[in-house]
Amino acid sequence: MSQLNRRDSIKTIAALGAAGTLGGLSGLARAQKPLTVGVIYVGPRDDYGYNQAQAQAAAEVKKMPGLKVVEEENVPETAAVQKTMTGMISQDGAKVLFPTSFGYFDPHILALAPKNPDVRFSHCGGMWTEGKHPKNVGSYFGYIDECQYLNGVIAGHMTKSNKIAFIAAKPIPQVLRNINAFTLGARSVKPGITCNVIFTGDWSMPVKEAEATNSLADQGCDVFTMHVDSPKVIVETAAKRGKMVCGYHASQAKLAPNAYLTGAEWNWLTAYKTVIDAAQNGKPHPNFLRGGLKEGYVKMSAYGPMVTDAAKKQADDIKAKMIEGKFDIFVGGIKDGKGTVVVPKTLQQTDLELEKMNYLVEGVLGSL
């Protein structure tokens, strides 16, 4: 939806700004005026990836009673996002904002939040810290490394070369956590597997992503996964090279049905509903939301027809243990490529040390 059309469509609810405060709306106000929710994407909503997963949640929110959703796509991680957020607040009357890209948090959300104390800002992936960040700011994310570990288990069964590949945007903790989980999952099947990693430098670099895929295919890697905004180029390029793929963010199965093994998918609706419920009912703003398979924040893509029964069984058994809280990915004694112990004690998913990750585990071929 264009900026102009979006602005025109919500003039009738501009008065929401006077009614919807951080304390929430009364039942009568909710019946008369919808709570306006703004969602901001760094790329297109149909990118088969990060933005599409967020947009799928926004589409479900639109179906919920008492809500109005306004959206803006292709907003860069610059002062442009401050302009978009300001417009949603002042013109649309938005009282809940989901600025979804990692780079929106600091300095942009942190600059606007103190100026708009009656607006709730929920950011994807950032680290909200008590006493440091405003109380009307929050962070939501999921333990998708659980799914990347399962991707790795499937890759470990399916690889013939024992060389798997990971194409990543930036070496931030969330990305490193996925690379390490994928590698650990694969090496739990075959300890000799190596994972070649290439960092492209930014979230959406289609030319570099294609070049990286071809380079790693030339090096003999036969199962690929990724952490970039849109996996589309990597999935299609790997498939053309006769390689197999584990997807990320959303399902890319229909892009390469004969190459797609499974994938790690987000279910952002869980977080969205929690934040919106708090706003509607006057509850404190959720400052730090996290969850995994058990909590419904993440899920696995359906298995492709080429995945073996043995691979499915092992992955399904581990998934069941994860949901029961009986499986740890990062167990004590894990080393990096130089033999240094980087995980001296077992870390559970809720341990914030995992959100500070700055290393690559043994078996990963690549540098930060």
Side-chain angles (χ1 to χ4, degrees):
M1 185 182 295
S2 70
Q3 181 82 2
L4 181 61
N5 289 339
R6 182 172 67 79
R7 298 298 181 216
D8 289 344
S9 69
I10 47 74
K11 286 179 180 177
T12 57
I13 61 168
L16 179 61
T21 67
L22 188 57
L25 298 172
S26 69
L28 179 61
R30 285 202 306 274
Q32 294 175 337
K33 299 172 184 176
L35 173 68
T36 300
V37 176
V39 187
I40 305 167
Y41 313 100
V42 74
R45 285 173 286 179
D46 57 352
D47 65 352
Y48 284 95
Y50 183 83
N51 297 289
Q52 183 166 315
Q54 301 278 359
Q56 287 171 346
E60 292 302 312
V61 169
K62 291 176 186 177
K63 302 174 185 177
M64 296 165 57
L67 296 173
K68 176 76 175 181
V69 177
V70 294
E71 301 169 275
E72 203 71 49
E73 57 188 339
N74 297 310
V75 180
E77 295 174 324
T78 65
V81 72
Q82 293 192 43
K83 183 177 180 181
T84 295
M85 289 189 289
T86 299
M88 288 181 169
I89 294 166
S90 63
Q91 299 180 49
D92 302 331
K95 291 298 174 183
V96 177
L97 291 181
F98 291 96
T100 62
S101 193
F102 183 81
Y104 292 163
F105 186 70
D106 189 357
H108 309 298
I109 292 173
L110 296 181
L112 285 191
K115 301 175 184 176
N116 299 276
D118 61 339
V119 177
R120 296 167 182 248
F121 297 78
S122 284
H123 174 254
C124 187
M127 283 286 287
W128 182 88
T129 304
E130 178 77 39
K132 179 181 178 182
H133 296 135
K135 290 190 178 297
N136 61 326
V137 173
S139 164
Y140 66 94
F141 206 62
Y143 302 134
I144 203 161
D145 55 328
E146 294 176 352
C147 298
Q148 280 289 16
Y149 186 94
L150 297 173
N151 273 351
V153 171
I154 297 297
H157 278 272
M158 300 303 295
T159 180
K160 295 179 173 60
S161 66
N162 289 342
K163 295 180 180 180
I164 59 178
F166 201 114
I167 297 167
K170 302 178 181 182
I172 63 172
Q174 291 95 330
V175 175
L176 300 181
R177 190 168 171 176
N178 279 336
I179 295 169
N180 291 335
F182 180 63
T183 304
L184 290 169
R187 286 168 68 91
S188 74
V189 179
K190 298 175 186 174
I193 285 176
T194 57
C195 180
N196 290 54
V197 174
I198 291 179
F199 293 99
T200 62
D202 214 338
W203 300 114
S204 182
M205 302 285 283
V207 173
K208 288 188 176 181
E209 290 159 13
E211 291 173 348
T213 305
N214 280 314
S215 174
L216 293 173
D218 290 342
Q219 295 173 46
C221 297
D222 59 359
V223 182
F224 287 71
T225 194
M226 69 296 291
H227 190 151
V228 299
D229 269 5
S230 176
K232 185 175 187 290
V233 168
I234 297 168
V235 171
E236 292 180 332
T237 304
K240 288 176 183 176
R241 294 294 302 270
K243 309 301 181 181
M244 295 171 283
V245 180
C246 293
Y248 189 57
H249 291 313
S251 176
Q252 295 88 41
K254 67 180 182 180
L255 295 175
N258 296 319
Y260 197 79
L261 299 175
T262 185
E265 298 185 35
W266 297 108
N267 181 28
W268 291 127
L269 182 61
T270 304
Y272 278 37
K273 287 172 69 175
T274 302
V275 171
I276 291 167
D277 175 74
Q280 287 182 314
N281 294 289
K283 302 175 186 176
H285 185 46
N287 299 123
F288 199 77
L289 289 174
R290 294 293 188 273
L293 288 162
K294 179 181 180 180
E295 295 80 13
Y297 277 63
V298 298
K299 59 185 179 180
M300 293 297 292
S301 299
Y303 295 124
M306 71 291 290
V307 178
T308 64
D309 289 340
K312 293 177 186 177
K313 184 180 188 308
Q314 184 171 353
D316 286 345
D317 288 348
I318 295 172
K319 179 182 175 182
K321 291 178 182 177
M322 287 177 171
I323 292 173
E324 293 173 7
K326 297 179 179 179
F327 189 91
D328 295 310
I329 296 173
F330 295 97
V331 299
I334 293 174
K335 300 177 181 179
D336 64 12
K338 296 179 180 178
T340 303
V341 175
V342 288
V343 185
K345 65 175 184 178
T346 297
L347 299 173
Q348 296 182 329
Q349 291 293 66
T350 53
D351 198 313
L352 294 182
E353 283 299 311
L354 290 174
E355 300 210 25
K356 304 173 185 176
M357 191 170 287
N358 62 357
Y359 51 81
L360 294 170
V361 301
E362 184 180 15
V364 179
L365 305 181
S367 67
L368 302 181

